[in-house]
Amino acid sequence: MEVHLYEQAEELREVGAAVALSANSVRHLQARLNLTEPLAAAAADVDGLVFRSGRTGDVVGRVLSRADHHQRCGAPYYGIHRADLQAILLGALAGPDAGSGVEGLHLKKRLVDIDDSGARARLHFADGSSAEADLVIGADGARSTVRRLLLGYDDALYSGSSAWRGIVPADKLDPLPDPEAIQFWMGPGGHLLHYPIGNGDQNFFLVQRTPEPWSASSWVTPVEREGEHLTMFAEWHPAIVQMISAVPVTERWALFHRPPLEWWSKGRVTLLGDAAHAMVPHHGQGANQSIEDAIVLADCLLADSDWEGPRTL
């Protein structure tokens, strides 16, 4: 298969903060892409999941220690910076002899339309260029253009929650209980999720339940005032207050999801990952489900006799 990747960004750079990779994706990255060593070098091997009271810090429950996760799930649970994961995947795509360029990767290509009426699908980009393919895979995220073109409308639904995020260096935190675990602190009106990444920093995701409709035109907006995220969490456990106060927080993220689709393919076009099934991040499965999708789709394409011969994706 001749595969081409079209990306709207002008350069590949870190977007967001960190990502949690659970065993259902890690084992594929290890076995299918041979990324065991680079993942282990760049990620934190998380030591279980701990649920705590947001106000008192009392432990509500524990799930799967590091050793349990390795044994029962067949692979580690990793916390990794998105930039590091992207670099590892790009290295796997490029190969050791790629030099400065990556064959088949096209930047500054923002999709605006797909014409699937001819012998091949034609993609039209904002810069006036176009490309043809036998199969188009829309892996363009929660705000997928490909999904909107397939459905004819935008079906995003506000979840009733918004969030702030940040990465805090370990030297800005007093000793945390269970610093090597992924931790979920729960309280009235919100929760905090945090976990370590490869260099020992803590990635946090602070969620406030705000059921009133999201009024902003963008899913991500600048904070209205400095420290706005501290207001409702001021009476929470001191470790939480310290963490969310340690670094500047400049953006607020509305959490959207999309209703399940009865179908996610039409003609020569299909969807993958968040474009197919965008979910809120509370279970840390968005990236993991996308990786599983890619593995399953690759297997289906290789096994399907209807796709014999050279193909361009």
Side-chain angles (χ1 to χ4, degrees):
M1 297 183 185
E2 180 184 351
V3 179
H4 292 265
L5 304 176
Y6 296 92
E7 163 62 47
Q8 67 176 344
E10 295 187 1
E11 60 179 341
L12 293 180
R13 53 186 172 80
E14 180 271 328
V15 177
V19 61
L21 297 177
S22 49
N24 55 315
S25 67
V26 172
R27 58 175 174 257
H28 291 306
L29 295 175
Q30 292 176 330
R32 298 290 291 270
L33 300 183
N34 198 28
L35 298 178
T36 300
E37 292 185 5
L39 281 173
D45 190 350
V46 173
D47 191 11
L49 169 61
V50 180
F51 295 92
R52 292 184 181 273
S53 164
R55 294 289 181 88
T56 68
D58 293 342
V59 173
V60 177
R62 293 179 182 268
V63 181
L64 289 181
S65 69
R66 180 185 291 121
D68 290 337
H69 202 276
H70 287 204
Q71 181 178 3
R72 293 178 58 184
C73 302
Y77 193 120
Y78 280 143
I80 188 169
H81 199 289
R82 287 177 181 267
D84 292 334
L85 177 59
Q86 180 175 273
I88 290 171
L89 295 175
L90 184 61
L93 173 66
D97 303 319
S100 59
V102 179
E103 184 178 359
L105 176 62
H106 310 272
L107 300 178
K108 297 188 289 186
K109 296 294 181 182
R110 182 172 63 84
L111 183 71
V112 293
D113 198 10
I114 301 173
D115 181 0
D116 192 20
S117 61
R120 305 176 78 198
R122 178 172 288 275
L123 293 82
H124 297 275
F125 302 102
D127 63 2
S129 65
S130 62
E132 289 189 341
D134 300 299
L135 174 65
V136 177
I137 302 171
D140 49 342
R143 286 176 278 185
S144 170
T145 297
V146 178
R147 181 186 179 110
R148 179 176 52 79
L149 292 172
L150 277 183
L151 296 182
Y153 60 93
D154 188 343
D155 63 345
L157 300 172
Y158 178 55
S159 68
S161 297
S162 58
W164 302 267
R165 59 177 62 182
I167 294 180
V168 182
D171 60 9
K172 290 192 174 184
L173 296 170
D174 293 330
L176 279 171
D178 300 299
E180 296 183 2
I182 183 170
Q183 302 203 59
F184 192 97
W185 303 65
M186 304 165 286
H191 67 262
L192 173 76
L193 179 74
H194 69 86
Y195 54 86
I197 58 177
N199 61 0
D201 294 349
Q202 290 283 333
N203 175 78
F204 76 77
F205 195 73
L206 180 68
V207 176
Q208 180 180 8
R209 291 190 289 276
T210 48
E212 65 273 10
W214 184 258
S215 59
S217 59
S218 172
W219 290 21
V220 183
T221 63
V223 297
E224 295 181 358
R225 63 187 184 282
E226 184 177 355
E228 69 174 15
H229 64 296
L230 305 176
T231 304
M232 73 166 289
F233 299 95
E235 302 301 321
W236 282 42
H237 191 274
I240 297 306
V241 176
Q242 183 186 44
M243 179 178 291
I244 65 178
S245 306
V247 293
V249 175
T250 60
E251 293 178 326
R252 185 173 185 174
W253 301 66
L255 305 184
F256 284 81
H257 62 99
R258 295 184 185 275
L261 295 174
E262 294 186 6
W263 53 268
W264 54 91
S265 303
K266 183 179 181 181
R268 299 174 182 85
V269 183
T270 192
L271 302 173
L272 180 154
D274 278 349
H277 43 66
M279 60 190 78
V280 290
H282 307 323
H283 294 287
Q285 276 298 303
N288 297 287
Q289 294 299 312
S290 298
I291 292 167
E292 283 199 76
D293 283 1
I295 296 295
V296 171
L297 180 57
D299 286 345
C300 290
L301 290 173
L302 290 171
D304 189 345
S305 61
D306 292 336
W307 283 84
E308 291 179 353
R311 301 187 291 281
T312 302
L313 310 185

